[in-house]
């Protein structure tokens, strides 16, 4: 019986002291004031994001060229790719320049996996944007553009290439490619 009375007394005392603890902690804490007093600059108020870098012809040509250069992998005498051993590894690298779908499309056409290694299929690179030729650019939105270019080559004849660029995860990448 004495234990029960002592337990009841302890519970009653806890109701007297515990409700005051959060008030005292909150009074001494400056977390609330810091969160309220931090100013938000005007740009963060407008967009809540970082400013998107300008899209232009130089950027379009540079990104297209970087992708084609990335497809030209160093190989040994048997066409075994030196720096990557699977298509997935290469695709992961190529997504610095193009979407995963485009990286997979070109990788499937230009590389093969065999004997736990990656091999390049000896062939010509596909028709692509020519850096020395002019392009036409159409803005679809603040984060989406289409780039058009007419070209000709001995191998492919006259063709028009269309590349779609989108601003994703802080960079412009190619998300669409079509050759007619």
């Amino acid at each position: 019986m004495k234990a029960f009375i002592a337990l009841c007394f302890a519970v009653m005392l806890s109701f007297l002291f515990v409700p005051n603890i959060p008030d005292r902690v909150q009074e001494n804490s400056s977390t609330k004031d810091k969160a309220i007093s931090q100013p938000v600059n005007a740009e963060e108020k407008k967009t809540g994001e970082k400013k998107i870098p300008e899209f232009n012809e130089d950027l379009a040509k540079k990104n297209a060229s970087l992708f084609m250069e990335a497809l030209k992998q160093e190989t040994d005498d048997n066409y075994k790719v030196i720096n990557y051993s699977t298509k997935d590894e290469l695709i992961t690298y190529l997504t610095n320049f193009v979407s995963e779908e485009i990286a997979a499309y070109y990788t499937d056409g230009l590389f093969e996996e065999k004997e736990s290694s990656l091999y390049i299929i000896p062939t010509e690179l596909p028709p692509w944007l020519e850096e020395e030729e002019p392009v036409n650019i159409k803005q679809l939105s603040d984060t989406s553009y289409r780039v058009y270019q007419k070209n000709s080559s001995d191998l492919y004849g006259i063709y028009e290439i269309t590349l779609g660029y989108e601003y994703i995860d802080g960079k412009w990448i190619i998300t669409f490619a079509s050759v007619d």
Side-chain angles (χ1 to χ4, degrees), residues 3-140:
F4 178 73
I5 294 174
L7 179 62
C8 289
F9 183 69
V11 169
M12 287 190 305
L13 283 176
S14 68
F15 280 110
L16 292 175
F17 293 113
V18 173
N20 293 329
I21 292 173
D23 292 339
R24 282 188 242 137
V25 170
Q26 193 172 17
E27 287 172 12
N28 294 333
S29 173
S30 61
T31 306
K32 262 183 149 182
D33 295 337
K34 286 181 183 176
I36 293 170
S37 66
Q38 290 178 340
V40 177
N41 67 35
E43 185 150 328
E44 287 175 326
K45 284 181 185 175
K46 276 197 270 181
T47 63
E49 300 175 4
K50 293 181 181 178
K51 186 178 176 191
I52 298 171
E54 177 188 2
F55 185 85
N56 57 40
E57 183 173 345
D58 290 338
L59 184 122
K61 288 179 177 181
K62 178 183 174 197
N63 284 9
S65 177
L66 287 171
F67 173 61
M68 273 298 125
E69 288 301 314
L71 284 176
K72 298 176 189 175
Q73 288 295 308
E74 185 178 355
T75 63
D76 65 12
D77 293 339
N78 297 317
Y79 301 108
K80 180 180 175 184
V81 175
I82 294 172
N83 295 317
Y84 300 98
S85 57
T86 66
K87 285 183 180 182
D88 286 340
E89 288 176 0
L90 181 58
I91 289 169
T92 298
Y93 173 67
L94 294 175
T95 57
N96 287 303
F97 315 106
V98 297
S99 68
E100 188 170 343
E101 294 80 19
I102 291 179
Y105 175 79
Y106 282 93
T107 301
D108 285 344
L110 297 171
F111 298 89
E112 64 182 345
E113 289 181 37
K114 59 183 178 181
E115 301 167 4
S116 300
S117 297
L118 185 64
Y119 289 83
I120 195 163
I121 300 169
T123 186
E124 292 290 323
L125 286 173
W128 199 246
L129 208 68
E130 298 291 333
E131 283 192 79
E132 59 278 346
E133 298 298 323
V135 297
N136 293 317
I137 298 175
K138 180 179 179 182
Q139 182 175 0
L140 304 177

